[in-house]
């Protein structure tokens, strides 16, 4: 019943089973094939068990034709891949493309999870406010799948509109918190900052989000310290905690790194230690490099992903990374 070209492998599998000290009943259905009377092959599942005595070993093999099962599995895999492509297309359309600002070069990376439908709730946005001020927002809706992506799309649209009205970082976060509170069972981390290149400063507000990494032109990379409020949607549970904002100096020639937890969170590891790795990598990748060079920022984004994520082809969370360069005086002469 075994095709001639496959007999050696099938026989080796059976020999390996019989060499076990105490072979227990087993079922194998990967890479095994039977031979029909007309010479065609078909996939099989084999159940094997044995009964030993002092003189002999009795082996019982039960062979089942699983052609129909394999056909249905192939159909399910095809449907899953089709749905995953649709979901990713939907998510990319909801995220949109950030504007390319000559006065504020940036590089970004988005990696979809390779599990589930491959979509999640990560997003970011770059929002020109006026001649010298730019809003930057990054957020993460808890959970995965189309529901998380749909909530992300609503929040991105709402936050973009609020930023355009001139909302302060804390005001925008308070409004988004009320928005998320009206959604059932949702929790969102979010950070909004306004970068003022005229005043050389940045004003931030964080709703439970991970710290921004700043690299000044004359010092090491570090966490940009700001008060961290509760995630969006938590105040609806009765906490009633206000969102605080803070303003920090950001000299020309600096760089900023914003990201979601998919970049630094690993099972069994300390997230603070992973953020330290990120900070060190930012130092190595950008220290001494021109902050207004898009190519430098792009290479730095690649290096950060390679360092923090060992295998992007098998990663089970979506990742958003945004690297922003604040041009120095020589490149900072434009008015808009």
């Amino acid at each position: 019943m075994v095709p001639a070209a496959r007999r050696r492998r099938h026989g080796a599998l059976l020999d390996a089973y019989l060499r076990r000290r105490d072979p227990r009943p087993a079922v194998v259905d990967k890479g095994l094939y039977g031979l029909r009377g007309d010479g065609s092959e078909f996939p099989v599942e084999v159940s094997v068990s044995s009964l030993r005595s002092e003189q002999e070993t009795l082996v019982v093999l039960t062979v089942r034709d699983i052609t129909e099962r394999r056909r249905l599995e192939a159909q399910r895999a095809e449907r899953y891949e089709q749905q995953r492509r649709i979901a990713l297309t939907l998510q990319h359309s909801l995220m949109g493309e950030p504007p390319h600002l000559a006065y504020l070069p940036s590089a970004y990376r988005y990696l979809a999870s390779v599990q589930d439908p491959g979509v999640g709730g990560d997003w970011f946005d770059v929002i020109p406010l006026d001649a010298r001020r730019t809003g930057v927002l990054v957020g993460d809706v808890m959970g995965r799948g189309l529901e998380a992506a749909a909530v992300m799309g609503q929040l991105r649209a709402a936050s973009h509109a609020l930023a355009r009205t001139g909302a302060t970082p804390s005001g925008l976060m308070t409004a988004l918190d009320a928005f998320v509170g009206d959604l059932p069972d949702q929790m969102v981390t979010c950070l909004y900052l306004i970068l003022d290149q005229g005043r050389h400063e940045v004003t931030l507000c964080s709703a439970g989000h991970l710290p921004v990494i700043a690299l000044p032109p004359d010092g090491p990379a570090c966490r940009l310290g700001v008060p961290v409020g509760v995630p969006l949607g938590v105040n609806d549970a009765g906490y009633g905690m206000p969102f605080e904002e803070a303003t920090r100096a950001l000299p020309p020639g600096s760089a900023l790194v914003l990201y979601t937890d998919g970049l630094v969170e690993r099972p069994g590891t300390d997230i603070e230690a992973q953020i330290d790795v990120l900070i060190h990598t930012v130092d190595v990748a950008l220290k001494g490099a021109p902050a207004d060079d898009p190519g430098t920022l792009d290479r730095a984004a690649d290096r950060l992903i390679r360092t923090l994520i060992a295998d992007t082809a098998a990663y089970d969370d979506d990742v958003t990374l945004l690297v922003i360069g604040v041009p120095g005086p020589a490149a900072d002469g434009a008015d808009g």
Side-chain angles (χ1 to χ4, degrees), residues 195 199-202 215-218 248-255 291 326-329 332:
L195 176 61
R199 293 178 176 272
H200 307 311
E201 64 185 24
V202 60
L215 176 66
D218 56 354
R248 300 286 182 261
L250 192 71
S254 300
V326 184
D332 202 25

Side-chain angles (χ1 to χ4, degrees), residues 83-97:
Q83 292 171 357
R84 188 172 188 272
R85 287 195 298 268
I86 293 172
L88 287 174
T89 300
L90 171 63
Q91 185 173 38
H92 283 298
S93 67
L94 290 171
M95 284 186 67
E97 284 290 331

Side-chain angles (χ1 to χ4, degrees), residues 27-30 43-47 64-77:
V27 178
V28 183
D29 65 354
K30 293 184 178 179
V44 299
E45 174 189 87
V46 176
S47 300
R64 301 178 185 86
D65 184 345
I66 58 173
T67 302
E68 182 64 12
R69 184 201 301 176
R70 288 287 184 257
R71 185 184 68 81
L72 294 174
E73 288 173 351
Q75 287 181 349
R76 284 196 296 269

Side-chain angles (χ1 to χ4, degrees), residues 111-115 261-266 308-309 311-319:
L111 304 180
S113 166
V114 298
Q115 297 187 9
D261 62 2
L263 184 66
V264 293
E265 193 171 39
R266 303 287 180 279
L308 273 298
I309 302 178
D311 185 4
T312 57
Y315 199 53
D316 64 352
D317 197 2
D318 49 339
V319 177

Side-chain angles (χ1 to χ4, degrees), residues 24 51 77 99 103 111 144 189 211 225 263 271 279 284 287 291 321 329:
R24 298 182 179 180
L51 180 63
Y103 57 86
L111 304 180
R144 292 193 212 126
T189 68
L263 184 66
I271 193 169
I279 293 172
V284 172
K287 192 65 176 177
L321 169 68

Side-chain angles (χ1 to χ4, degrees), residues 109 115 141 155 191 239:
R109 297 290 183 273
Q115 297 187 9
V141 178
L155 286 173
L191 183 142
Y239 288 90

